[in-house]
Amino acid sequence: MVVDEDSFWQLIEQCSPSDPDADHADHGDQLAEALTEALAVGPVSTIRGFAEQLAWALYRLDRREFGRDLSADAFLYTRCAVVADGRAVYEGVLADPALIAPYVNGLVWAEDLLYVPDEAYRELTGQEWEYSTRYDYETGSNTDGWAGA
């Protein structure tokens, strides 16, 4: 399976927990677990494709107007939560930076999403993941997103 932007978001949707009462922490953990399970069946190219799309999504959210008041790690984990909530939420935040406020103010995180490729690769191959994505998603990596005042 080639993981392009559409199939990435379909995978997020398919693996999202259906429990409407789950809090965000549980949602992120359950999503990461389901994604890992889905990707661990292989092939490795699917895991790499997922990692690339995740990195790209996080990179695009790495902008001053979204994370100026958070530490680097808190902002990264908050961006993960936005991605974990699906394409509509993600695109909404990109279009209107004010929509990230509940994530920032509530410190809503989905850190485990970051470890999905590593865990899926380890389950599939028995080896450690040693792959670098095209885009660096660490806070501040998107220099265009942090330029200016």
Side-chain angles (χ1 to χ4, degrees):
M1 169 181 168
V2 174
V3 181
D4 60 11
E5 187 175 10
D6 288 332
S7 58
F8 170 81
W9 290 114
Q10 288 169 356
L11 191 57
I12 294 282
E13 184 179 323
Q14 290 167 356
C15 292
S16 287
S18 58
D19 182 3
D21 296 326
D23 66 23
H24 266 92
D26 289 340
H27 175 82
D29 293 347
Q30 291 172 4
L31 174 61
E33 201 172 300
L35 286 166
T36 299
E37 188 176 305
L39 292 170
V41 298
V44 170
S45 61
T46 300
I47 299 170
R48 284 190 181 127
F50 177 86
E52 289 292 346
Q53 291 298 323
L54 176 61
W56 171 239
L58 294 172
Y59 179 85
R60 289 182 67 206
L61 287 172
D62 184 26
R63 298 180 359 206
R64 178 183 308 278
E65 67 266 30
F66 295 142
R68 77 179 87 223
D69 297 326
L70 296 175
S71 72
D73 284 345
F75 183 43
L76 174 57
Y77 306 154
T78 297
R79 288 182 283 140
C80 288
V82 171
V83 171
D85 278 350
R87 189 176 206 165
V89 169
Y90 174 82
E91 290 178 352
V93 168
L94 282 174
D96 181 358
L99 295 177
I100 201 169
Y103 295 87
V104 171
N105 297 336
L107 293 178
V108 178
W109 294 356
E111 177 184 2
D112 285 353
L113 197 58
L114 296 173
Y115 312 119
V116 167
D118 306 62
E119 295 296 324
Y121 185 82
R122 188 177 304 114
E123 284 185 29
L124 179 63
T125 67
Q127 299 173 346
E128 293 301 312
W129 175 255
E130 294 188 24
Y131 179 79
S132 296
T133 56
R134 179 176 175 197
Y135 291 93
D136 184 351
Y137 54 73
E138 292 297 330
T139 298
S141 295
N142 182 354
T143 54
D144 290 342
W146 288 88

